[in-house]
């Protein structure tokens, strides 16, 4: 090769390097992909930040909170990966200043979910990134922090119980974006009420699944549940934050507000509807006897009252836990006893207002779903027995 040819090849190489495509960050709401796959977030519950195609088989996706007011580390993500070719691909979850929390889950239909095995997820030493290895086939693949349980799922569940004669379906109000907040109003004509609430925080799916098993047990076709329903009026609000769930929020409603810190200020429409419900019950002469708020955290636990504030309530709760442990020792959980504080969450508010057994029922993010569901059934059965036994003793 003569010198001129060598110089031409060298110049052409430099030009090619200099003109090599720089990866471009694609904003959320816009499909992001290569000739192998694309990533979409055009469905309920979806959330991702900017997406950058690093190579044709590797995308880096920023995981971002919904609002600067959000400080709780619940880095939710959900996206749909549509293949152009059956290939192995890497989705890199970039949490920025946040940390990896949820074990990614996948689904081929958006309804049935599988937790990815440990070898498919590699987390960086500082927990700020996770590389997810996926094998794409011919069909889309959903990738999410937790299972997608959307408003339509709750509506179908409540409607099924309504159709079975369990109770009335009531719209207690509308969310900030106008979505219906529905309640199942069941049980007998008793003036004593029990209230169950769920999904104040959008990512807390494991608690929501446990709530469903719990409530299914309360409305089951059993002699125990039938007696309980005759004795108590049962109010169930399983989805208090539909806007946050649909938006894939980490914590808040559409205004970025934590609804479980609004039981006192009642500044958000969703929590104001609960206040209106309680005021109406009081005005009509009903007595609220029990409150359980279902949530998720990193392990199974309950937040309950200290004995000094209410010895009878604390004793009732501890006996409930003892009986449940005796029946189902495989389910490990803690009782986090805390004094009532000024934190305006549901538990504290209901204790201050009524002095009743009021607790937060927390399920671990990654607790085995069948295990948690079976535990919820046992908790429900023992609670019903104890409340009925208490009536008999009185």
């Amino acid at each position: 090769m003569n010198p001129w040819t060598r110089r031409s090849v060298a110049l052409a190489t430099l030009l090619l390097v200099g003109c090599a495509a720089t990866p471009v960050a694609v904003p959320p709401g816009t499909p992001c992909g290569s000739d192998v796959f694309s990533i979409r977030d055009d469905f309920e519950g979806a959330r991702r930040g900017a997406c950058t195609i690093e190579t044709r088989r590797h995308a880096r996706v920023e995981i971002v909170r919904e609002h600067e007011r959000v400080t709780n580390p619940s880095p939710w993500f959900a996206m749909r990966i549509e293949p152009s070719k059956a290939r192995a691909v890497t989705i890199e979850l970039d949490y920025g200043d946040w940390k990896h929390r949820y074990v990614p889950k996948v689904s081929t239909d958006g309804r049935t979910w599988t937790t990815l095995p440990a070898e498919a997820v590699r987390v960086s030493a500082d927990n700020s990134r996770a590389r997810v290895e996926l094998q794409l086939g011919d069909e889309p693949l959903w990738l999410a922090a937790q299972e997608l349980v959307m408003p339509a799922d709750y509506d179908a569940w409540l409607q099924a119980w309504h159709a079975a004669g369990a109770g009335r379906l009531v719209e207690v109000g509308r969310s900030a974006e106008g979505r219906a907040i529905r309640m199942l109003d069941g049980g007998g004509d008793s003036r004593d009420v029990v209230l169950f609430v769920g999904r104040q925080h959008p990512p807390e799916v494991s608690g929501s699944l446990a709530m469903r098993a719990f409530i299914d047990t309360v409305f089951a076709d059993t002699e125990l549940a039938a007696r309980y329903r005759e004795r108590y009026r049962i109010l169930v609000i399983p989805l208090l934050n539909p806007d946050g769930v649909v938006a894939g929020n980490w914590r808040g409603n559409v205004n970025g507000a934590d609804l479980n810190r609004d039981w006192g200020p009642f500044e958000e429409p969703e929590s104001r509807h609960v206040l209106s419900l309680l005021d109406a019950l009081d005005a009509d002469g009903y007595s609220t006897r029990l409150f359980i708020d279902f949530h998720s955290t990193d392990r199974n636990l309950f937040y309950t009252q200290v004995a000094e504030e209410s010895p009878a309530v604390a004793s009732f709760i501890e006996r409930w836990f003892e009986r449940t442990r005796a029946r189902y020792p495989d389910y490990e959980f803690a009782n986090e006893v805390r004094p009532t504080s000024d934190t305006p969450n549901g538990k504290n508010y209901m204790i201050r207002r009524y002095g009743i057994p009021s607790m937060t029922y927390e399920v671990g993010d990654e607790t085995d779903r069948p295990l948690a569901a079976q535990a919820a059934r046992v908790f429900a059965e023992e609670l019903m027995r104890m409340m009925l036994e208490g009536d008999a003793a009185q």
Side-chain angles (χ1 to χ4, degrees):
M1 183 182 295
N2 65 53
W4 291 105
T5 303
R6 283 196 297 270
R7 282 195 290 271
S8 298
V9 170
L11 178 60
T13 301
L14 287 172
L15 288 172
L16 285 172
V17 171
C19 295
T22 301
V24 176
V26 178
T30 303
C32 164
S34 69
D35 65 320
V36 174
F37 68 97
S38 65
I39 297 175
R40 306 184 68 95
D41 58 345
D42 54 354
F43 56 93
E44 289 189 346
R47 174 164 289 275
R48 69 168 177 85
C51 169
T52 303
I53 299 299
E54 304 288 353
T55 72
R56 56 199 296 264
R57 297 190 188 184
H58 175 196
R60 181 172 58 84
V61 180
E62 296 177 10
I63 308 303
V64 295
R65 56 185 173 170
E66 67 269 18
H67 196 283
E68 63 182 9
R69 293 170 63 180
V70 175
T71 59
N72 187 271
S74 303
W76 175 268
F77 57 87
M79 60 202 80
R80 186 176 67 250
I81 303 162
E82 298 189 348
S84 301
K85 302 175 182 179
R87 292 285 192 277
V89 301
T90 299
I91 308 298
E92 183 177 353
L93 307 175
D94 184 351
Y95 298 100
D97 295 332
W98 302 88
K99 304 297 182 184
H100 176 72
R101 171 172 172 173
Y102 302 106
V103 179
K105 296 160 186 67
V106 293
S107 172
T108 56
D109 60 5
R111 303 190 64 81
T112 303
W113 295 85
T114 301
T115 301
L116 285 175
E119 58 268 22
V121 183
R122 291 179 293 164
V123 182
S124 65
D126 64 356
N127 269 359
S128 67
R129 295 193 182 199
R131 292 171 66 96
V132 181
E133 308 294 339
L134 300 173
Q135 179 62 53
L136 300 182
D138 297 327
E139 300 297 326
L141 187 69
W142 279 258
L143 173 69
Q146 298 282 46
E147 302 91 330
L148 294 176
V149 184
M150 294 294 112
D153 300 307
Y154 291 97
D155 288 345
W157 175 52
L158 294 178
Q159 182 60 47
W161 276 120
H162 170 65
R168 299 183 302 127
L169 270 184
V170 180
E171 183 179 302
V172 298
R174 293 269 166 170
S175 67
E177 289 189 327
R179 293 183 175 87
I181 298 173
R182 294 188 172 89
M183 176 178 73
L184 181 63
D185 182 353
D189 297 328
S190 171
R191 309 305 289 178
D192 291 330
V193 172
V194 293
L195 175 61
F196 302 102
V197 171
R199 207 73 185 274
Q200 294 198 67
H201 298 149
E204 298 183 8
V205 173
S206 61
S208 177
L209 297 174
M211 181 184 189
R212 177 166 181 164
F214 191 105
I215 298 302
D216 284 348
T217 306
V218 172
F219 285 105
D221 184 18
T222 65
E223 185 271 338
L224 171 63
R227 286 195 293 120
Y228 188 76
R229 294 194 300 273
E230 289 175 1
R231 175 64 184 83
Y232 293 97
R233 182 181 175 186
I234 301 158
L235 306 180
V236 182
I237 307 175
L239 177 58
L240 193 57
N241 188 0
D243 295 349
V245 168
V246 169
N249 286 355
W250 291 22
R251 188 74 170 182
N253 67 352
V254 70
N255 298 324
D258 183 340
L259 295 184
N260 203 34
R261 298 296 183 272
D262 193 41
W263 291 63
F266 294 107
E267 295 174 345
E268 300 301 317
E270 296 87 352
S271 46
R272 283 200 299 271
H273 297 319
V274 179
L275 176 64
S276 296
L277 170 66
L278 295 173
D279 288 346
L281 290 170
D282 291 353
D284 290 342
Y286 288 92
S287 298
T288 302
R289 298 299 190 185
L290 175 80
F291 174 75
I292 301 181
D293 184 14
F294 290 81
H295 286 262
S296 302
T297 188
D298 59 351
R299 64 198 186 284
N300 306 320
L301 62 88
F302 288 79
Y303 292 116
T304 65
Q305 297 105 305
V306 298
E308 291 78 8
E309 294 179 350
S310 178
V313 168
S315 175
F316 173 89
I317 292 172
E318 190 53 46
R319 285 186 290 113
W320 178 38
F321 293 161
E322 289 173 357
R323 289 168 61 151
T324 301
R325 284 192 178 100
R327 280 190 57 194
Y328 200 53
D330 291 343
Y331 188 77
E332 297 182 359
F333 66 95
N335 179 16
E336 297 274 344
V337 179
R338 295 185 175 182
T340 305
S341 71
D342 293 332
T343 301
N345 59 34
K347 177 182 77 72
N348 286 333
Y349 179 81
M350 296 297 281
I351 292 172
R352 288 194 300 267
R353 180 163 179 165
Y354 297 112
I356 58 173
S358 175
M359 66 205 77
T360 309
Y361 183 142
E362 302 264 9
V363 181
D365 297 327
E366 307 305 333
T367 297
D368 178 75
R369 302 316 194 223
L371 181 75
Q374 179 57 27
R377 288 188 280 271
V378 176
F379 276 118
E381 289 172 354
E382 292 305 317
L383 179 74
M384 290 188 289
R385 284 195 182 95
M386 288 185 62
M387 293 182 73
L388 292 171
E389 289 167 3
D391 290 338
Q394 291 176 13

